[in-house]
Amino acid sequence: MCGINGYVGEREAAPIVLDGLSRLEYRGYDSVGVAVLQDSGEVSIHKRAGKIGDLSSELTDRWPTGKQAIGHTRWATHGKPSDANAHPHADCTGRLVVIHNGIVENHQELRRRLGDEHTFASETDTEVIPHLLENNLKDGMNLADALTKTMNQLEGAHAVLAMSADEPGVIVAARAGNAGGIVVGYGRGENYVASDLPALLPHTRNVVFLDDGDIAVVRAKTVEYRNGGRPVTREPQEVPYDPVSVAKGNYKHFMQKEIGEQPEAILDTIRGRANFAEARVDLEDVQISPSRLGSIKRVVLVGMGTSLHAAMIGRHYFERIARMPAEVDNASEWRYREPVVGPDTLLVSVSQSGETVDTLAAMELARERGCLQVTICNGIGSQATRMADGIVYTRCGLEIGVASTKTYLAAITALYLLACHIGQERGIIDRERMGGYLEPIAHLPYLAGEVLARGAEQEELAHEFARFDNFLFLGRGIHYPVVMEGALKLKEVSYIHAEGYPAGEMKHGPIALIDPDVPVVAVVQKGDLRAKMINNIEQVKAREGTVIAIGVDGDDELEEKADRTFYVPETSDLLSPVLTSIPMQLFAYNVAVRRGCDVDQPRNLAKTVTVE
Ligand code: AGP
């Protein structure tokens, strides 16, 4: 959601901050703004609804000069996208500015308390923050102390940056709860603050991720941290990314690039963890004793969106590989139920970003109940990785396209490894069985590459089907989540209405939708469920529906049954979702491109959802 970026140093700050914000565009936003502490000692604010490019064009030939700036891309929650509602927001003097990610849940009460002597210029909840700061500064505090006090007055979760003309050379940053991360980047004689790494990578890889409750006082040459009013030490860590990895290169879109990177992402997720010679799976960040794992009676998997779909596939792994009772739920539903869980429950959370507010809240609840937790996550240093007892990183590098692709396939792979590892540690998978699970995973990156090599067929399909406005996706068993994800991808990037259903459910309602204008995408796997899927295809055809079947190489009968077919190579039943997901990603991408959609930044969507 909102992007945050700040700079303090020796260089002109505004272009650096706007460039950083443009690297966070993928987070999703509707307005943009920057405040510069000018060499003259005044704060100059420039903000507007629209894109960063619009603001940059507006500033051409009149860039505000100054060596310190904060900037923001806003994803509207309170108050429509408009120039006035864009951040930064100032206090009454105009000398103090704030940018914010999160929701001030008690903003109405705070506005009332601030009273008539404060004039508000926007409809946002955020605007109470500079005014509270203004009051707190009047009590003789410095900016960092005033922000500490202000954060205690706010309800909800927040990431805040503030600077004041009366304290030049300082940007203060605060993180409270799970409203998205704040990362401090260490340069030479200059420092940076951002909501996410891509803004920092052109400048530095040495970073500190703020903990819940941290305040950072960032100057050009020093950064101090405090938490709970006391100084704390935060050692910078080097992140293993480089700016090239977050560049689009020759690709037209990040989504296209990231779909293409999937064989490598799968390989990186497996690397060093699956020991083929000894038939073992060892996960470097899951150091949980066999006796603790042995005490677990059931597994609960949670996630949102694409990560939920990966978790739904993971449930099959825990049941079939680790032989453990497993259930799966949408994190935002699970957290508001009264789930009966405790120390004998393993909560497996799946999150690309590790910052999704509902997933973090589910983890918080699990922590309160004493559950053991493992997170499947791509976001190095993210909040989810700090809350869990064990981590399986998906090692995909940064994913920039809003629609998750490579992190989805890597998460499925990671869940497979986790189920193997836990089954092994609980002593229920012997060497021979483990060999059987590991053998197909060794071929998976290559086979994923094979599917990608057939991408031209997908372009033809997209050409033919891009004109339809409704799609039904059907699958069974482990391919039910696959079709849910196929439908989600199509919705997200091409704005086509699509629904994913377990094929057995079709006759209980969705069949009423079937007509020649509602194409059906059906995944037909090998094994017991194949015949059932063929029956479902027959039922669609009997109602003049059009069927695109995704089948396994060699299943030639599908040609007769379906209108169009796309084949993937054969792998084990358990790993087949990795391969059948790829044609659906390619289909969604190609259809969206044909329809002229903004593939990497679909309307209304944010890469990381930090509000409920
Ligand atoms: C997927 O294409 C979407 N961007 C979205 O559904 C996403 O998977 C969801 O918001 C969860 O995000 P997370 O994996 O970062 O927790």
Side-chain angles (χ1 to χ4, degrees):
M1 296 200 138
C2 307
I4 285 177
N5 195 19
Y7 170 85
V8 53
E10 290 300 317
R11 295 187 284 155
E12 283 306 328
I16 294 172
V17 166
L18 280 176
D19 177 67
L21 288 179
S22 69
R23 294 170 196 276
L24 301 178
E25 277 195 305
Y26 68 94
R27 290 175 66 98
Y29 71 106
D30 44 55
S31 52
V32 54
V34 61
V36 181
L37 180 49
Q38 294 190 284
D39 298 337
S40 62
E42 298 299 312
V43 174
S44 155
I45 302 175
H46 305 268
K47 55 185 196 167
R48 54 165 296 158
K51 294 285 180 186
I52 295 166
D54 303 328
L55 183 65
S56 300
S57 313
E58 231 172 68
L59 293 177
T60 311
D61 302 330
R62 56 183 196 98
W63 282 90
T65 57
K67 312 290 187 291
Q68 175 181 349
I70 58 177
H72 188 263
T73 45
R74 173 174 185 253
W75 190 91
T77 57
H78 289 63
K80 61 183 181 301
S82 69
D83 295 357
N85 288 337
H87 301 206
H89 291 289
D91 68 346
C92 295
T93 69
R95 295 177 65 74
L96 170 73
V97 277
V98 165
I99 57 180
H100 167 233
N101 192 1
I103 295 175
V104 182
E105 291 175 2
N106 55 338
H107 71 108
Q108 280 166 328
E109 186 205 328
L110 290 171
R111 269 202 193 212
R112 255 194 315 278
R113 271 204 257 150
L114 281 161
D116 290 342
E117 70 255 37
H118 289 267
T119 312
F120 289 84
S122 78
E123 305 154 327
T124 64
D125 54 324
T126 298
E127 205 183 351
V128 296
I129 302 176
H131 291 280
L132 289 170
L133 273 171
E134 183 183 0
N135 277 4
N136 293 332
L137 284 164
K138 276 186 202 146
D139 295 340
M141 291 180 180
N142 62 26
L143 190 56
D145 290 337
L147 185 60
T148 307
K149 182 170 176 193
T150 303
M151 296 304 287
N152 290 331
Q153 296 171 300
L154 308 178
E155 286 175 13
H158 312 280
V160 177
L161 252 59
M163 67 176 188
S164 164
D166 297 320
E167 265 181 72
V170 183
I171 294 173
V172 286
R175 173 175 187 157
N178 300 321
I182 291 201
V183 199
V184 176
Y186 286 70
R188 289 209 182 132
E190 56 187 11
N191 287 315
Y192 309 81
V193 199
S195 48
D196 218 343
L197 288 170
L200 305 180
L201 291 177
H203 312 288
T204 182
R205 290 201 281 159
N206 291 321
V207 303
V208 165
F209 295 92
L210 294 201
D211 267 344
D212 185 10
D214 275 0
I215 302 253
V217 184
V218 184
R219 298 186 171 85
K221 295 191 176 139
T222 61
V223 188
E224 291 158 28
Y225 299 91
R226 39 177 95 166
N227 193 308
R230 289 198 201 89
V232 288
T233 306
R234 301 274 179 253
E235 292 298 337
Q237 57 172 290
E238 190 176 316
V239 287
Y241 301 139
D242 60 61
V244 176
S245 68
V246 291
K248 220 172 352 190
N250 291 330
Y251 292 89
K252 223 167 141 199
H253 300 102
F254 279 109
M255 184 179 176
Q256 183 191 26
K257 175 177 180 245
E258 288 159 359
I259 291 173
E261 285 169 351
Q262 293 184 118
E264 201 183 334
I266 298 165
L267 183 62
D268 286 343
T269 300
I270 301 167
R271 204 189 294 280
R273 291 169 170 166
N275 183 335
F276 298 100
E278 291 177 28
R280 284 189 60 79
V281 174
D282 291 301
L283 302 171
E284 68 285 5
D285 294 319
V286 183
Q287 300 294 334
I288 302 168
S289 68
S291 66
R292 180 71 181 101
L293 289 173
S295 71
I296 295 299
K297 300 263 186 305
R298 74 189 168 117
V299 183
V300 175
L301 298 107
V302 294
M304 300 295 290
T306 295
S307 290
L308 172 62
H309 299 149
M312 288 167 76
I313 294 169
R315 173 199 202 168
H316 289 259
Y317 296 159
F318 280 99
E319 286 175 345
R320 289 170 59 185
I321 299 175
R323 302 299 300 145
M324 295 168 84
E327 59 194 84
V328 61
D329 209 341
N330 173 297
S332 70
E333 290 298 318
W334 189 79
R335 65 177 286 201
Y336 287 119
R337 297 214 317 266
E338 287 190 23
V340 183
V341 291
D344 60 0
T345 310
L346 169 66
L347 186 96
V348 176
S349 52
V350 184
S351 177
Q352 180 282 128
S353 60
E355 299 288 353
T356 295
V357 69
D358 283 306
T359 306
L360 294 180
M363 293 180 74
E364 193 65 60
L365 177 66
R367 181 155 70 180
E368 282 162 19
R369 305 276 165 93
C371 304
L372 183 67
Q373 298 205 43
V374 176
T375 194
I376 309 290
C377 189
N378 196 48
I380 293 175
S382 60
Q383 188 64 6
T385 64
R386 278 180 276 167
M387 289 171 78
D389 303 294
I391 312 162
V392 188
Y393 276 115
T394 43
R395 298 178 179 162
C396 289
L398 294 167
E399 185 175 70
I400 305 293
V402 165
S404 294
T405 52
K406 62 177 178 177
T407 55
Y408 169 60
L409 294 197
I412 298 171
T413 310
L415 283 160
Y416 185 87
L417 292 175
L418 181 64
C420 286
H421 174 76
I422 291 180
Q424 163 191 294
E425 299 301 290
R426 284 165 64 91
I428 67 119
I429 305 180
D430 62 21
R431 195 185 160 113
E432 192 187 335
R433 230 179 107 207
M434 184 64 93
Y437 292 132
L438 292 186
E439 198 272 332
I441 208 171
H443 304 287
L444 201 57
Y446 169 76
L447 295 179
E450 280 278 294
V451 184
L452 289 170
R454 302 175 189 182
E457 291 172 45
Q458 280 294 327
E459 282 184 43
E460 285 167 29
L461 268 183
H463 178 71
E464 195 178 339
F465 285 92
R467 67 187 172 84
F468 291 93
D469 290 323
N470 296 286
F471 279 80
L472 211 53
F473 285 67
L474 300 177
R476 282 176 180 262
I478 204 164
H479 288 95
Y480 162 42
V482 170
V483 297
M484 297 272 291
E485 174 60 11
L488 176 69
K489 282 283 95 73
L490 191 63
K491 261 185 269 208
E492 277 189 298
V493 296
S494 68
Y495 316 145
I496 289 174
H497 173 236
E499 298 297 341
Y501 275 100
E505 181 72 15
M506 184 179 75
K507 288 191 288 299
H508 301 274
I511 199 165
L513 296 172
I514 305 289
D515 74 19
D517 288 329
V518 183
V520 173
V521 180
V523 179
V524 184
Q525 65 271 61
K526 286 206 158 172
D528 297 348
L529 296 173
R530 181 185 172 280
K532 310 269 176 220
M533 276 309 297
I534 297 286
N535 287 346
N536 292 128
I537 290 178
E538 301 272 16
Q539 288 150 9
V540 173
K541 292 302 303 167
R543 285 155 185 84
E544 296 185 5
T546 307
V547 176
I548 305 169
I550 296 176
V552 180
D553 279 347
D555 191 353
D556 300 334
E557 192 196 353
L558 271 188
E559 306 271 349
E560 296 157 27
K561 304 284 175 193
D563 298 276
R564 299 285 177 277
T565 45
F566 185 93
Y567 289 105
V568 300
E570 188 166 1
T571 179
S572 70
D573 174 42
L574 287 168
L575 288 171
S576 58
V578 171
L579 302 186
T580 52
S581 293
I582 299 173
M584 299 196 202
Q585 296 170 339
L586 290 169
F587 185 69
Y589 170 76
N590 287 313
V591 166
V593 169
R594 287 206 75 80
R595 289 170 73 110
C597 299
D598 188 349
V599 177
D600 285 334
Q601 292 165 47
R603 69 184 179 205
N604 304 336
L605 290 180
K607 181 73 181 162
T608 306
V609 179
T610 52
V611 293
E612 285 187 55

